[in-house]
Amino acid sequence: VRRQKPLSLSLSLCTPTSIPLGLLTLLPALSPTRTMFTTADLWEPPRLERNADGTATEIVSAAWNFHKYISYSTADGRSKILSYGPPPGSLDEFCFRAQIVNYTQYRALLEAWGSRMWTKYTGLLIWKTANPWTGLRGQLYDWYLNQTGGFYGAKACCAEMVHIQSNPAAQNALQVVNRLPVAVSGCVAEVETVCCPGNARNTQSWALGDLEPLQTTTVGHKIAAEAGDSVTFAKLRLRRGAETLSRNVYWLSGKGGGDFSALAQWGEAKVGISAKISPGTAASTFVARLENLAQTVAFFVELKVAKGSAARTARDLLAPAFLSDNYVTLFPEEALDIMIDLSEAAAELGAAEGASLLVEGWNVSPFSVPLRPNNPLASEDEVA
């Protein structure tokens, strides 16, 4: 299946139990991609040129073709990589944009199925979740056991038994998917938006009736982007009292057509992080608290666990590392707790005295926080 728009995924119909479905591009993240090539001169990513009609010309090296790279362009020739600005100037930038596209596409794929679950079909099979070799396609986690943005896009949808989402096939109407066998009551749907640049903020909320079991409920309210050369971030939250049942963040183009080039105009948002060992669990399990100290959105923040203070290749990472969430977007002054489970990499963790948590994002400068065995990973005032 070629790269598609979220709207087309929402409009798709299938059989009651779908034939295997997937989005084959799924380039790995930066460090694993570097590791696949024997010399640095082979790292050069595909060269993209934007044509006058909005399509893109892509020049791919023999090395990338050998590793089965598939273009991030739609069937009509429009590059999803170029949706986020001018042609990437480095492998780092190309791989990071690829993770954004991986995330949004797999979330859209699974949310589209959730919107019609129990009415049009009963389930789907994803092909494929892993690659049998060091390839540049078709993987939610790569040959080196590192998850892609697609993995966390799927997880954002499927890990919640009650999930709030937007349906682009219904003008971004809000929906709640209840996968539980019992009704859920007393919930409030909340939508907070931040328009960038400018950081204009708005919050609305609506009390919901009973959410019937094994059913998708359309709330009726819609989210919309502010028109113009801007991007509107919308944080959807389903809460019951103080408890958050579901959290979901979208970014919508003010120009329409998936044009997010306005994101390139941002200044950097500083993200503070505090993390400490989870109480009552093994020594190889941690909680990392990410906190956005800025008055703008911290977009697409990635976490990696490395053997040292940097990770140039996959061999520098502790793997497998299981995170409760990743590639997160934090709203102004928002904090999130991320569970990090390194139990399957405990031997490497014990041998890596300088192990660190690496943090970077679209508008977040890279920084690292050292892992200190049997002590807080970082003090409360340790901020990038």
Side-chain angles (χ1 to χ4, degrees):
V1 176
R2 290 182 66 87
R3 197 51 61 181
Q4 296 185 45
K5 299 177 182 178
L7 176 58
S8 64
L9 293 170
S10 297
L11 292 172
S12 299
L13 289 175
C14 65
T15 54
T17 298
S18 174
I19 59 173
L21 185 69
L23 300 159
L24 283 179
T25 40
L26 281 173
L27 184 76
L30 174 63
S31 298
T33 300
R34 279 202 188 109
T35 313
M36 292 181 190
F37 300 106
T38 54
T39 58
D41 60 300
L42 300 178
W43 292 349
E44 183 180 356
R47 190 166 75 251
L48 289 163
E49 298 175 358
R50 195 189 302 273
N51 302 320
D53 62 356
T55 62
T57 299
E58 191 166 13
I59 302 171
V60 184
S61 70
W64 281 58
N65 278 327
F66 177 80
H67 285 273
K68 305 301 182 183
Y69 169 77
I70 297 180
S71 173
Y72 274 86
S73 293
T74 57
D76 61 359
R78 298 180 184 276
S79 170
K80 305 300 287 185
I81 298 295
L82 294 183
S83 295
Y84 288 87
S90 65
L91 177 65
D92 305 50
E93 189 176 1
F94 189 95
C95 288
F96 193 81
R97 290 196 202 178
Q99 299 318 305
I100 299 175
V101 181
N102 293 345
Y103 183 101
T104 56
Q105 289 286 292
Y106 261 87
R107 179 178 62 177
L109 179 70
L110 291 166
E111 287 185 340
W113 258 247
S115 70
R116 294 176 175 181
M117 190 63 70
W118 308 292
T119 58
K120 296 290 184 183
Y121 37 73
T122 58
L124 70 110
L125 300 172
I126 291 180
W127 188 86
K128 53 188 180 168
T129 57
N131 205 309
W133 77 306
T134 53
L136 294 172
R137 65 160 79 172
Q139 51 209 327
L140 294 181
Y141 56 95
D142 62 44
W143 175 258
Y144 306 101
L145 304 182
N146 297 289
Q147 300 92 345
T148 66
F151 175 91
Y152 287 102
K155 194 174 190 298
C157 170
C158 296
E160 298 173 334
M161 294 304 293
V162 185
H163 177 70
I164 189 168
Q165 64 185 42
S166 165
N167 184 357
Q171 297 180 313
N172 288 322
L174 300 185
Q175 293 182 322
V176 179
V177 182
N178 182 9
R179 300 184 179 95
L180 294 171
V182 297
V184 178
S185 59
C187 293
V188 173
E190 181 179 279
V191 176
E192 180 181 357
T193 59
V194 177
C195 184
C196 298
N199 301 323
R201 300 174 67 178
N202 183 53
T203 302
Q204 294 178 288
S205 61
W206 306 273
L208 305 182
D210 289 347
L211 302 171
E212 297 300 322
L214 303 178
Q215 185 170 312
T216 298
T217 301
T218 298
V219 176
H221 303 283
K222 301 173 182 178
I223 59 174
E226 183 173 318
D229 188 14
S230 63
V231 173
T232 298
F233 290 93
K235 180 174 68 175
L236 281 53
R237 191 163 72 105
L238 184 70
R239 58 180 174 84
R240 184 168 54 186
E243 179 187 11
T244 297
L245 301 179
S246 178
R247 177 188 181 276
N248 202 354
V249 177
Y250 295 89
W251 39 101
L252 308 173
S253 169
K255 292 181 177 179
D259 184 346
F260 300 104
S261 56
L263 292 174
Q265 301 172 10
W266 272 7
E268 288 189 341
K270 301 299 181 182
V271 175
I273 181 172
S274 61
K276 53 188 176 183
I277 293 177
S278 303
T281 62
S284 54
T285 303
F286 310 95
V287 176
R289 166 156 286 214
L290 292 181
E291 182 179 3
N292 181 7
L293 304 178
Q295 294 302 309
T296 189
V297 172
F299 178 47
F300 215 68
V301 180
E302 177 189 10
L303 298 179
K304 295 179 286 190
V305 184
K307 298 174 184 177
S309 59
R312 189 159 182 79
T313 71
R315 299 181 184 90
D316 299 323
L317 298 171
L318 284 170
F322 300 102
L323 279 66
S324 61
D325 205 355
N326 205 347
Y327 297 106
V328 296
T329 295
L330 292 95
F331 269 46
E333 301 177 334
E334 182 181 21
L336 287 178
D337 289 334
I338 310 294
M339 296 295 299
I340 303 173
D341 184 355
L342 299 174
S343 56
E344 296 297 323
E348 285 190 304
L349 174 63
E353 296 182 1
S356 299
L357 183 67
L358 311 182
V359 183
E360 63 180 316
W362 179 273
N363 58 337
V364 178
S365 298
F367 67 97
S368 64
V369 180
L371 297 174
R372 303 188 182 110
N374 302 317
N375 286 291
L377 303 183
S379 63
E380 292 294 328
D381 58 356
E382 188 163 0
V383 175

